[in-house]
Amino acid sequence: MKFSEKVWKKNEGIYKKIIDMPFNKELMEGTLDKEKFAYYIEQDSLYLKYYSKALAIISSKIHDNADYALAFLKSSANAYIVEEEVVHKYFREIFNFENTNKITTANIGYTSFLINTAHTEAFEAAAAAILPCFWIYNEIGKYIKENANVKNNPYEKWIDTYADEEFSKSTENMIKIIDDLYGNASDYVKEKMIISFDIAFIWEYRFWNDAYNLDNFHNV
């Protein structure tokens, strides 16, 4: 069984919870509180800063599978540009967002996990840890696009970006590369790839949940 088939089936229950969580339901209906969305965008911007650091660490590990590695990093970088330049810039200008200079507990946990995995694990496992972010966003974008029945949704740009054909192609390319890496990996690395993917998948759920609840790590 391909890596992608195995891990998606394993995490399908969490994906369904992500679809049903208040953040995405309200986003689909266009009723999501703008303060919560703004906080989510701020958290996502912070996440991307650490994500780019993780990519830099991963890129330094390219030895074997160089062609796969470079292709994966290129797709990952393109997805980063889509988020930062299209989604964040658009909504910051339209909604006139202001930073709170706060960070959620999930954001700290997720980014720490990505950096640690990039430093300590094989390239394949580190790449697998990055995959859930774009795969889940692409699936959520397509799901909302297909099921939403709201005119003039203020979050339509967000939905269209992640449901976009080019973003879908980039995600599909990343999935194929990880499948190929998994097929050529040792049993030990294969297990590490699955573990990394599973953990990142859970962090995705917690990331959205914390943003919706306006969690602040500094509040105790």
Side-chain angles (χ1 to χ4, degrees), residues 70-212:
L70 290 171
F72 180 84
L73 291 168
K74 182 179 179 180
S75 293
S76 300
N78 288 342
Y80 171 91
I81 292 171
V82 166
E83 285 207 53
E84 187 61 46
E85 296 298 325
V86 178
V87 178
H88 293 179
K89 184 177 179 181
Y90 174 84
F91 281 107
R92 285 184 182 279
E93 292 178 355
I94 294 297
F95 288 174
N96 195 28
F97 289 163
E98 292 185 6
N99 286 336
T100 65
N101 297 314
K102 299 175 182 177
I103 189 168
T104 66
T105 305
N107 206 348
I108 292 176
Y110 195 178
T111 54
S112 297
F113 162 71
L114 290 179
I115 295 293
N116 182 65
T117 303
H119 270 300
T120 63
E121 300 293 349
F123 167 84
E124 294 90 341
I130 286 174
L131 183 58
C133 177
F134 302 106
W135 194 356
I136 293 171
Y137 272 59
N138 185 222
E139 292 298 325
I140 290 292
K142 291 187 293 186
Y143 173 84
I144 293 176
K145 185 78 172 177
E146 293 169 3
N147 292 278
N149 189 25
V150 178
K151 291 183 180 180
N152 301 318
N153 188 329
Y155 305 113
E156 187 172 359
K157 181 71 172 179
W158 189 98
I159 299 165
D160 288 344
T161 297
Y162 295 116
D164 180 72
E165 184 177 349
E166 286 303 313
F167 191 83
S168 295
K169 286 181 179 179
S170 180
T171 302
E172 289 166 6
N173 186 49
M174 292 166 72
I175 293 170
K176 183 182 184 303
I177 292 168
I178 297 295
D179 279 341
D180 290 342
L181 288 171
Y182 181 82
N184 295 318
S186 66
D187 289 343
Y188 175 79
V189 172
K190 284 180 178 178
E191 184 61 27
K192 286 290 187 178
M193 290 176 73
I194 292 171
I195 292 171
S196 295
F197 184 93
D198 289 350
I199 293 173
F201 213 100
I202 294 170
W203 277 124
E204 281 295 319
Y205 173 87
R206 293 185 180 276
F207 188 94
W208 263 315
N209 191 62
D210 273 13
Y212 181 83

Side-chain angles (χ1 to χ4, degrees), residues 50-62:
Y50 289 98
Y51 165 84
S52 63
K53 292 180 180 180
L55 276 187
I57 297 166
I58 293 170
S59 66
S60 70
K61 290 188 166 187
I62 296 177

Side-chain angles (χ1 to χ4, degrees), residues 23-40:
F23 185 100
N24 287 315
K25 276 192 168 183
E26 293 172 16
L27 186 143
M28 181 168 67
E29 295 164 356
T31 60
L32 179 63
D33 184 89
K34 287 185 179 180
E35 180 187 2
K36 293 182 177 182
F37 186 76
Y39 194 53
Y40 153 79

